Amino acid sequence: MSHIKKLLGEKIYLSPMSLEDAEDFTKWINDRSVSDNTHSTAKTYNVETEREWIKNILDNKEPTFSIVLKENDKLIGNCGLMNVKNIDGTAEIGIMIGEEENRDKGYGSEAIKLLLDFGFNVLKLHNIDLKVFDFNKRAIACYKKIGFKEYGIKHESYYLNGKYHNEILLEMLESDYRNIEK
């Protein structure tokens, strides 16, 4: 399977999602280290459900991508802008790095920066936000380092492993992005 180099970074590139990526996505979304962070633990996924999810994204023309290493063209995750509202200039970011060996290497940060550039400079968005659970300290630190600002908390909205967790709401305005860009 060959990926298309749509958005190029230093160590990764973002490729339009393909149905051929469904097997890897299925493996990852059934891994608790991924599903706990994506509110997917209580759901079951198979290759067909992942293909349907990808088809839905492609049909809705949402800018969602596979994350691929530049050095060897290895698929390592996915990310995208969802719920894009062109009139309002808003969207939500989502990201998943599949295997533990590819986390904490800056790939996720680089993917998010590529999405922000695409969102603000190509799609002309004004506000990009995201949601993250309070126990995902690594992701919260990453988002804040990039420049996202916390704007709210949805209290006890996620039940996992016998406990309720808060959902942290973060956003970046285009003006904040322009200041970071300088």
Side-chain angles (χ1 to χ4, degrees), residues 17-18 41 45 53 59 63 102-103 135 149 152 163-164 166-167 179:
M17 258 190 210
S18 166
T41 303
Y45 296 89
W53 175 73
D59 288 347
N102 293 313
R103 298 178 199 149
F135 58 82
K149 296 177 182 169
K163 183 180 175 189
Y164 285 97
N166 297 333
E167 196 171 25
N179 288 331

Side-chain angles (χ1 to χ4, degrees), residues 72-89:
N72 59 10
D73 294 313
K74 180 183 178 196
L75 176 68
I76 64 164
N78 63 53
C79 63
L81 295 167
M82 304 160 295
N83 305 316
V84 176
K85 295 179 182 144
N86 293 314
I87 291 172
D88 299 326

Side-chain angles (χ1 to χ4, degrees), residues 33 36-38 132-143:
S33 72
D36 285 357
N37 293 312
T38 60
V132 61
F133 297 110
D134 58 5
F135 58 82
N136 194 346
K137 305 294 186 202
R138 174 172 43 194
I140 293 168
C142 169
Y143 299 139

Side-chain angles (χ1 to χ4, degrees), residues 27-39 41 95-101 103 135-136 138 158 160-161:
K27 179 177 70 173
W28 298 333
I29 200 65
N30 283 294
D31 177 345
R32 290 286 302 266
S33 72
V34 173
S35 66
D36 285 357
N37 293 312
T38 60
H39 203 259
T41 303
I95 185 165
M96 171 182 72
I97 301 295
E99 292 161 358
E100 186 67 39
E101 69 190 41
R103 298 178 199 149
F135 58 82
N136 194 346
R138 174 172 43 194
Y158 181 32
L160 178 69
N161 299 326

Side-chain angles (χ1 to χ4, degrees), residues 8 16 39 62 79 114 180 182:
L8 294 172
H39 203 259
E62 298 245 305
C79 63
L114 289 170
I180 292 168
K182 293 177 183 178

Side-chain angles (χ1 to χ4, degrees), residues 19 22-23 46-56:
L19 290 174
E23 286 189 35
N46 59 42
V47 174
E48 190 53 42
T49 57
E50 282 300 289
R51 282 193 184 111
E52 287 300 316
W53 175 73
I54 294 170
K55 283 180 196 173
N56 186 47

